Amino acid sequence: MPGLELFGPEERKEVNDVLETGILMRYGFDGPRKGIWKSKELEAAISQKFGVAHTQLVSSGTAALTVALAALGVGAGDEVIMPVFTFVASFEAVLSVGAVPVMVDIDETLTLDPQAVLRAITPRTKCVMPVHMCGSMADLEALTRICKENKLLLLEDACQSIGATYKGKYLGTIGDAGTLSFDFVKTVTCGEGGAVMTNNADTYRKCDGFSDHGHDHIGNDRGADLHPFLGYNYRISELHAAVGLAQFRKLDQFLAIQKKSHARLKGMLSAIPEISFRSLPDPAGDSCTFLSWFLPSEALTRALVAELKEQGILAGNFYWYEHNWHYIRKWDHLLRVESLYKLTEPQERALRHLADTGFAVSDGIMGRCISTAIGMGWTEAQLEEKGAKIVAAVKKVLSKSLVK
């Protein structure tokens, strides 16, 4: 994802503002910082741009999910329904608060299948966590309806879809809370960082305190803060926030470049009848970070991956089915319950059951899927060359299959 590709004097200026004061911490030291509050400035910018009441910056996207779950009251024994296609951080955060991740199938949106969510609801279900993978959205209309009808929380993991929208609203602002990631390979990068967004003042208050050892942040004397509840250290630094502030101001530029290149590449691949594309609940809201597309079978897709690798052009084309971090069939450490600390009995029981659970529907989708990352620095010539090479490789693989 593009942020790291367009790093320049804007980021350096914001970082230097912080370095000149020497105050790297986001809280306290009011006098020496000389009015420089990059974290507060970025929080305000996110809230204003995305039309959400409250934003809390934290140290990572994983921290954002953990803080959001805690603030929403999700804890020991609660079940959180989530998709089998996501980044490992999603289930790590659920486990970290003592809750139980309940994995369910995706559909061709590459996100939660609402019908699979319905089938997974039990009396212990507390939260549904759609993960808006690869720049685009889950079916939020269906998922919102399910949550309302079953009195469940809706927590949006929008870490891979910064700037994407659903029916005019930014992803991460529609549920009870939403999270963003600003790590080095996200649409907007802080190097490391994340954010929780919410329209609920009480949820925000809890995020604000929980992410800073339970501080209530009332008044101007940090040493006099009270601690109304337990918390931990998930603070972002001013240096990271400074980088993110400059990056976030470029978001519209990033999205415009992505959408133009995405449309051109999709047009080139559309010329091949055997290629189909990811289903989008709201095509206008796609951030176009990736172009996700399908071949008719897993065998053909594997053959294409091999061909792209043979030609030296696989880079930037992700076959998630074999990726170590993003699909359940490769999460050996989770399925073997390899934890350095003792998990709760409900967690261990659920994970051991998960190891014996098949996800044939998702396998059938992911086995045929390739996601092509949209580069920010591509020239017109490079884009044409990239598209032409992929098209030629696909045609070569298809022609070989016909001969057989």
Side-chain angles (χ1 to χ4, degrees):
M1 286 167 270
L4 65 94
E5 298 181 54
L6 291 179
F7 185 90
E10 304 90 348
E11 288 81 1
R12 294 185 184 92
K13 184 270 178 191
E14 299 297 332
V15 169
N16 283 334
D17 285 349
V18 176
L19 292 176
E20 286 173 8
T21 69
I23 306 304
L24 310 186
M25 186 176 179
R26 73 155 299 174
Y27 296 111
F29 304 95
D30 295 28
R33 69 171 63 244
K34 300 176 183 177
I36 303 297
W37 299 88
K38 298 301 181 182
S39 299
K40 290 183 180 180
E41 197 172 348
L42 179 52
E43 287 168 344
I46 294 170
S47 292
Q48 181 178 12
K49 173 69 174 175
F50 289 168
V52 68
H54 307 285
T55 300
Q56 177 68 37
L57 286 179
V58 291
S59 56
S60 69
T62 312
L65 285 168
T66 302
V67 169
L69 287 163
L72 292 171
V74 178
D78 293 332
E79 293 180 351
V80 179
I81 297 174
M82 57 178 292
V84 292
F85 177 45
T86 180
F87 182 56
V88 294
S90 301
F91 67 72
E92 289 170 347
V94 172
L95 291 169
S96 75
V97 296
V100 175
V102 177
M103 308 287 181
V104 303
D105 275 316
I106 60 168
D107 56 25
E108 290 203 356
T109 66
L110 302 184
T111 66
L112 276 178
D113 177 356
Q115 293 305 309
V117 171
L118 274 173
R119 292 192 294 270
I121 294 173
T122 75
R124 296 176 297 280
T125 306
K126 183 75 173 282
C127 179
V128 175
M129 183 196 292
V131 184
H132 304 302
M133 287 295 289
C134 300
S136 193
M137 74 296 295
D139 185 349
L140 285 170
E141 181 176 353
L143 294 174
T144 299
R145 182 174 61 252
I146 289 170
C147 287
K148 286 182 177 178
E149 290 175 352
N150 292 275
K151 297 181 180 180
L152 302 174
L153 295 163
L154 179 64
L155 171 58
E156 296 178 74
D157 180 339
C159 292
Q160 283 201 9
S161 297
I162 299 172
T165 61
Y166 179 74
K167 297 187 176 180
K169 294 182 178 180
Y170 283 96
L171 300 187
T173 71
I174 297 167
D176 294 281
T179 63
L180 305 175
S181 172
F182 303 129
D183 78 14
F184 193 54
V185 291
K186 292 300 188 291
T187 305
V188 167
T189 183
C190 290
E192 285 288 356
V196 182
M197 301 184 296
T198 184
N199 287 304
N200 185 290
D202 189 55
T203 299
Y204 166 69
R205 178 185 64 83
K206 292 173 180 176
C207 288
D208 181 47
F210 186 78
S211 61
D212 183 29
H213 298 295
H215 278 263
D216 64 7
H217 298 141
I218 295 175
N220 296 319
D221 182 358
R222 180 171 174 81
D225 283 355
L226 299 179
H227 300 80
F229 46 75
L230 291 171
Y232 299 90
N233 180 5
Y234 294 113
R235 296 188 300 261
I236 195 170
S237 78
E238 284 288 275
L239 287 174
H240 289 92
V243 174
L245 181 60
Q247 283 269 298
F248 192 75
R249 290 170 179 155
K250 300 177 183 179
L251 177 60
D252 287 342
Q253 176 189 356
F254 294 166
L255 295 175
I257 294 171
Q258 286 178 174
K259 290 181 179 182
K260 181 180 178 182
S261 297
H262 182 281
R264 177 61 188 136
L265 186 60
K266 185 175 183 180
M268 297 176 74
L269 295 185
S270 295
I272 301 176
E274 291 85 355
I275 289 179
S276 60
F277 297 93
R278 173 187 194 172
S279 176
L280 301 174
D282 179 9
D286 188 2
S287 69
C288 297
T289 298
F290 289 88
L291 176 63
S292 295
W293 45 287
F294 305 97
L295 286 175
S297 70
E298 179 184 330
L300 283 170
T301 308
R302 287 185 177 276
L304 176 60
V305 169
E307 179 65 28
L308 294 174
K309 187 174 183 179
E310 175 69 23
Q311 294 188 29
I313 57 174
L314 181 60
N317 295 285
F318 293 88
Y319 186 46
W320 305 113
Y321 196 56
E322 292 291 351
H323 199 280
N324 282 348
W325 297 104
H326 289 85
Y327 188 58
I328 191 169
R329 70 190 296 268
K330 303 294 284 187
W331 295 339
D332 293 340
H333 59 316
L334 179 73
L335 300 177
R336 293 196 308 265
V337 199
E338 297 284 356
S339 175
L340 295 180
Y341 61 90
K342 184 173 177 58
L343 300 177
T344 67
E345 178 57 34
Q347 288 177 324
E348 288 214 19
R349 187 168 57 249
L351 295 184
R352 296 198 186 285
H353 173 72
L354 183 63
D356 297 324
T357 302
F359 295 95
V361 172
S362 297
D363 287 347
I365 294 168
M366 298 307 299
R368 300 182 295 109
C369 179
I370 291 177
S371 293
T372 302
I374 304 299
M376 296 294 293
W378 292 346
T379 65
E380 290 285 344
Q382 287 171 331
L383 175 56
E384 293 294 323
E385 180 183 15
K386 185 178 187 70
K389 286 182 176 179
I390 293 174
V391 166
V394 173
K395 288 182 176 179
K396 181 178 178 180
V397 167
L398 290 173
S399 66
K400 285 184 177 179
S401 71
L402 290 175
V403 171
K404 293 179 181 179

